[in-house]
Amino acid sequence: MDVKGRGVLVTGGASGIGASVVRRLSLAGARVAIIDRDADGANRIADEVAGLALVGDVADPDIMPMFTSVVEDRFGRLDIVFLNAGTVGGQPGTSELDVEHYRRVVGVNVDHVVYGLSTAVPALRRAGGGTVIATASLAGLLPLASDPIYTLTKHAVVGYVRAAGATLAEEGIRVCALCPGFADTPLIAEQRDQFGEFPLLTADDVAGAVEAILDHGQGGEAWYVQPGREPGPYGFRGVPGPGSGARPPALKWGS
């Protein structure tokens, strides 16, 4: 995909995977805006790539609409949205529950993806189509026993993308999920020593998978990324339907 001159919005772009994607797409000629709570980090990366830094909390329902509008006005169009901001669950979630922290995790990992996609779609329509990539995780495809809440949120992202992608593809809007394994980024900094010799992805490995999705990804796909393997769409097994063989109706909601 030729990204030269395209308008790009990246959440969580001040470090790790987000920053690597910002650098790659900027180098390829895209005009990139970064949303992050880390003002210093966002401004540093924006200065590096002559991009636009926007400081805010993506879990706030007002942030994505406001900044999407800013980006569209500044760049004249919005073509690619990388909904990458995320956080770990940090608690078992099966006995004592820190409700405030739980709501924070859901707000960043799930709500921000919904806010981001629903806000981006009208802008992408105005541009004649585009791509939205939401960072999930292998925990969106498989259970991560050490973090059930994180697993819950990433399964939600994968399910949302698969359902939304099928409909939006008809309008030339691709929606895909990115499902990397463990990556050596600030997200796992406190647990880094526990991995020992276990192979970790680099942020640039994952950014390469983003480029691959932009090149030939299809709407509704969830792409796995693992060390030593080429990234690709995960093949979901079909679920048995009714014994009668009847297909479910295509329901329409609202008036």
Side-chain angles (χ1 to χ4, degrees), residues 21-99:
V21 169
V22 168
R23 292 186 179 104
R24 278 191 177 230
L25 297 185
S26 296
L27 187 63
R31 305 176 68 189
V32 185
I34 301 156
I35 299 179
D36 206 292
R37 288 200 304 166
D38 177 2
D40 290 341
N43 281 291
R44 182 178 64 254
I45 300 298
D47 289 344
E48 178 185 328
V49 302
L52 174 64
L54 300 167
V55 180
D57 183 353
V58 294
D60 180 338
D62 295 328
I63 287 295
M64 293 306 298
M66 178 173 65
F67 285 162
T68 298
S69 178
V70 169
V71 171
E72 192 178 15
D73 288 345
R74 180 69 65 90
F75 296 160
R77 59 187 296 131
L78 181 62
D79 303 278
I80 299 168
V81 179
F82 183 36
L83 301 172
N84 173 68
T87 186
V88 295
Q91 60 177 320
T94 54
S95 52
E96 296 181 3
L97 182 68
D98 181 336
V99 174

Side-chain angles (χ1 to χ4, degrees), residues 36-248:
D36 206 292
R37 288 200 304 166
D38 177 2
D40 290 341
N43 281 291
R44 182 178 64 254
I45 300 298
D47 289 344
E48 178 185 328
V49 302
L52 174 64
L54 300 167
V55 180
D57 183 353
V58 294
D60 180 338
D62 295 328
I63 287 295
M64 293 306 298
M66 178 173 65
F67 285 162
T68 298
S69 178
V70 169
V71 171
E72 192 178 15
D73 288 345
R74 180 69 65 90
F75 296 160
R77 59 187 296 131
L78 181 62
D79 303 278
I80 299 168
V81 179
F82 183 36
L83 301 172
N84 173 68
T87 186
V88 295
Q91 60 177 320
T94 54
S95 52
E96 296 181 3
L97 182 68
D98 181 336
V99 174
E100 182 177 355
H101 182 67
Y102 166 70
R103 290 307 319 165
R104 174 66 189 162
V105 175
V106 173
V108 175
N109 290 1
V110 179
D111 294 348
H112 127 259
V113 174
V114 177
Y115 301 151
L117 178 60
S118 60
T119 300
V121 165
L124 297 178
R125 285 174 176 154
R126 287 189 286 271
T131 302
V132 178
I133 301 174
T135 299
S137 164
L138 280 188
L141 304 175
L142 301 167
L144 181 62
S146 61
D147 201 335
I149 290 177
Y150 183 77
T151 299
L152 177 154
T153 62
K154 296 307 182 178
H155 269 67
V157 170
V158 169
Y160 181 56
V161 164
R162 293 182 70 199
T167 300
L168 291 171
E170 300 172 0
E171 301 184 56
I173 298 174
R174 290 185 300 176
V175 185
C176 300
L178 179 70
C179 301
F182 290 110
D184 194 359
T185 69
L187 200 65
I188 67 163
E190 294 182 3
Q191 291 78 33
R192 178 64 180 82
D193 293 343
Q194 299 177 37
F195 285 89
E197 298 300 316
F198 186 85
L200 296 174
L201 294 162
T202 66
D204 206 49
D205 290 333
V206 184
V210 170
E211 286 191 326
I213 293 173
L214 291 175
D215 283 342
H216 51 268
Q218 300 296 314
E221 291 179 339
W223 279 52
Y224 61 84
V225 193
Q226 285 280 58
R229 295 183 181 274
E230 287 295 317
Y234 181 71
F236 290 90
R237 295 183 62 183
V239 176
S244 64
R247 297 179 63 84

